[in-house]
């Protein structure tokens, strides 16, 4: 298995590990959809995404507390892969009673549309659903389908897009339908007038914008997975949710990715802010972003934490000790609230930059 596939799987696994107990607390039923499931196993014997998703529950340290019904829907087009996937699932042994697995043979476009039609006809609400959309190329994951699905509250999506590949093909004739399908608009055509990084950035931002606008998602983050052996094959994982807690858990999953030899993983949501995945995080870009955002205005610690979560690649846990404290000790941050001492920022603490 290639290191970038391992990175993708680890993000998925980490996120589901956090998602399952949180969501099962408030819902009797959760749905996981893998729209391009694959055979469930790689040539080297490593598990594929369906098995990873099942094991996120089966091996969960708090499995006993996750009592919701868990419906796993795996869609795969190729018959041989469907067969293999069923075998891999059977090899897990008897599944607990609350786990329902449906392996569907067919194309994501047709089969997923049927599921949605059915839900809409019955006027039923879709249970909280997490969809993993991981096609080989870029012409099989229509934005309008994702859009319909994501109109349901509490639905989240993780889409793997070969953005550098898209970037290379965007100028070629004959790609129009595939591009329209991927982006759900013909605005991608404007990319043809751009070059290099600007073009890649434009396509990235357009996809993120479409997820927000067409799919009604409040928060969209992306994570780029580049193989240094083959930088041209870079992929981008786009995650979309309507909920800050989901956003936070996904960002934590992304931050958990270690450096693997010969591989670079970069958070690419904001231009110029690309923290390395090392123990010693450089929070200079976060400091600059906070200063640019709040300027001389008063703000609370909650404002700073929310801005960090929603508008930067950083986590709320990077804010106090690593970012605000050094600024305060340097005389660049004035705290206006009584508290225990410098470097502490209790709930509701008000402050402003003095630059
Ligand atoms: C990148 S692989 C999926 C790998 C899998 N998600 C994993 O991580 O283990 C893409 C899979 O989608 C299947 N596929 C391709 N087009 C499809 C479509 N339109 N609908 C459903 N499956 C499709 C392919 O046969 C292939 O197994």
């Amino acid at each position: 298995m290639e290191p970038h596939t391992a990175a993708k799987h680890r993000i998925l696994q980490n996120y589901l590990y956090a998602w399952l107990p949180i969501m099962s607390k408030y819902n009797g039923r959760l749905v996981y959809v893998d729209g391009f499931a694959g055979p469930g196993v790689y040539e080297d014997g490593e598990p594929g995404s369906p098995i990873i998703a099942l094991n996120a529950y089966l091996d969960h340290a708090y499995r006993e507390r996750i009592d919701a019904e868990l419906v796993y829907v795996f869609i795969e087009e190729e018959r041989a892969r469907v067969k293999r996937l069923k075998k891999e699932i059977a090899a897990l042994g008897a599944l607990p009673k609350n786990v329902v697995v449906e392996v569907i043979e067919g194309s994501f476009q047709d089969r997923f549309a049927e599921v949605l039609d059915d839900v809409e006809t019955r006027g039923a609400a879709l249970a909280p659903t997490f969809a993993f959309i991981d096609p080989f190329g870029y012409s099989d994951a229509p934005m309008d389908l994702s859009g319909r699905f994501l109109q349901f509250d509490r639905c989240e999506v993780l889409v793997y897009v070969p953005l550098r590949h898209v970037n290379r093909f965007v100028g070629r004739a004959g790609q129009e339908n595939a591009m329209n399908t991927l982006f759900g608009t013909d605005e991608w055509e404007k990319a043809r007038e751009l070059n290099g990084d600007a073009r890649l950035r434009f396509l990235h931002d357009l996809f993120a914008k479409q997820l927000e606008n067409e799919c009604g998602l409040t928060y969209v983050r992306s994570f780029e997975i580049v193989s240094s052996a083959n930088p041209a094959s870079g992929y981008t994982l786009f995650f979309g949710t309507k909920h800050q807690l989901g956003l936070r858990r996904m960002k934590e999953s992304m931050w958990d990715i270690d450096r693997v030899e010969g591989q670079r993983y970069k958070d690419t949501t904001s231009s110029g802010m690309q923290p390395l995945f090392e123990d010693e995080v450089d929070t200079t870009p976060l400091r600059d972003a906070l200063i640019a955002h709040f300027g001389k205005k008063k703000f609370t610690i909650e404002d700073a934490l929310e801005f960090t979560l929603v508008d930067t690649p950083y986590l709320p846990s990077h804010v106090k000790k690593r970012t605000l404290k050094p600024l305060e000790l340097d005389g660049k941050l004035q705290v206006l609230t009584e508290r225990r001492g410098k470097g502490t920022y209790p709930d509701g603490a008000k402050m402003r930059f003095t630059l």
Side-chain angles (χ1 to χ4, degrees):
M1 177 186 291
E2 298 201 35
H4 66 88
T5 305
K8 168 178 77 177
H9 283 165
R10 195 151 139 207
I11 289 178
L12 177 69
Q13 180 181 33
N14 285 349
Y15 185 72
L16 289 178
Y17 198 81
W19 187 77
L20 286 167
I22 296 171
M23 298 305 280
S24 77
K25 230 192 241 175
Y26 306 105
N27 301 281
R29 190 168 188 234
L30 304 176
V31 181
Y32 173 83
V33 179
D34 192 333
F36 298 79
V41 64
Y42 281 72
E43 276 172 17
D44 57 7
E46 290 288 325
S49 55
I51 304 300
I52 285 170
L54 281 164
N55 281 337
Y57 169 66
L58 297 174
D59 297 340
H60 206 290
Y62 299 115
R63 182 173 135 180
E64 300 314 319
R65 293 191 215 158
I66 303 171
D67 51 8
E69 181 186 30
L70 305 178
V71 180
Y72 287 86
V73 180
F74 301 126
I75 304 174
E76 168 57 47
E77 195 172 52
E78 270 199 30
R79 179 154 299 176
R81 292 191 177 142
V82 169
K83 214 170 141 198
R84 183 64 200 254
L85 176 57
K86 287 184 174 163
K87 208 170 134 195
E88 292 300 315
I89 295 169
L92 294 173
L95 295 171
K97 281 203 183 65
N98 61 324
V99 175
V100 178
V101 176
E102 228 184 304
V103 181
I104 302 178
E105 182 180 327
S107 80
F108 168 71
Q109 297 88 316
D110 297 343
R111 307 312 297 266
F112 196 49
E114 282 167 22
V115 173
L116 295 178
D117 287 344
D118 188 43
V119 171
E120 277 171 11
T121 318
R122 286 185 293 123
L126 203 61
T129 302
F130 182 91
F132 181 46
I133 299 180
D134 179 26
F136 276 136
Y138 51 83
S139 54
D140 285 322
M143 181 68 85
D144 60 347
L145 208 54
S146 308
R148 266 180 75 199
F149 150 66
L150 289 158
Q151 300 304 333
F152 297 100
D153 193 34
R154 296 229 153 248
C155 292
E156 301 183 338
V157 69
L158 187 65
V159 200
Y160 204 48
V161 183
L163 209 58
R164 286 177 187 269
H165 195 68
V166 172
N167 185 36
R168 271 207 311 283
F169 282 86
V170 86
R172 300 214 186 151
Q175 295 297 310
E176 288 76 8
N177 283 345
M179 295 292 167
N180 287 340
T181 302
L182 176 68
F183 289 101
T185 169
D186 58 12
E187 272 185 69
W188 59 269
E189 286 178 12
K190 293 189 194 134
R192 288 179 161 166
E193 293 151 27
L194 304 168
N195 290 306
D197 281 353
R199 179 149 109 175
L200 194 61
R201 170 62 46 191
F202 174 85
L203 293 168
H204 169 280
D205 292 351
L206 178 62
F207 193 83
K209 186 184 92 176
Q210 287 297 98
L211 273 184
E212 282 171 24
N213 296 348
E214 292 297 306
C215 308
L217 291 168
T218 325
Y219 308 109
V220 174
R221 295 298 306 175
S222 69
F223 185 81
E224 191 181 16
I225 299 180
V226 184
S227 151
S228 54
N230 186 6
S233 76
Y235 279 78
T236 304
L237 271 173
F238 287 88
F239 170 71
T241 180
K242 294 192 180 92
H243 301 278
Q244 277 196 9
L245 186 57
L247 173 69
R248 184 175 178 148
R249 293 290 174 251
M250 179 52 82
K251 283 178 76 174
E252 284 165 0
S253 304
M254 291 172 168
W255 274 88
D256 181 59
I257 300 292
D258 290 328
R259 277 178 163 215
V260 179
E261 206 181 353
Q263 197 70 36
R264 285 160 37 234
Y265 307 112
K266 301 184 292 183
D267 185 327
T268 57
T269 300
S270 313
S271 316
M273 288 207 274
Q274 301 189 334
L276 295 173
F277 292 85
E278 291 174 327
D279 284 337
E280 240 351 281
V281 177
D282 174 14
T283 55
T284 315
L286 174 59
R287 184 197 67 187
D288 295 347
L290 285 164
I291 292 171
H293 181 71
F294 293 111
K296 297 200 160 156
K297 284 198 302 254
K298 264 190 239 170
F299 60 93
T300 63
I301 186 64
E302 287 77 16
D303 295 334
L305 294 171
E306 183 171 341
F307 169 74
T308 301
L309 177 68
V310 174
D311 291 309
T312 81
Y314 289 87
L315 290 172
S317 58
H318 295 133
V319 173
K320 292 184 181 176
K321 206 168 94 210
R322 292 179 202 247
T323 311
L324 295 181
K325 189 175 174 187
L327 280 167
E328 189 183 5
L329 296 179
D330 211 15
K332 291 180 176 146
L333 177 76
Q334 183 188 15
V335 178
L336 309 160
T337 305
E338 290 280 331
R339 68 222 150 114
R340 265 189 298 127
K342 281 196 173 183
T344 62
Y345 310 96
D347 292 353
K350 289 197 177 66
M351 60 201 87
R352 70 166 157 241
F353 294 116
T354 52
L355 299 156

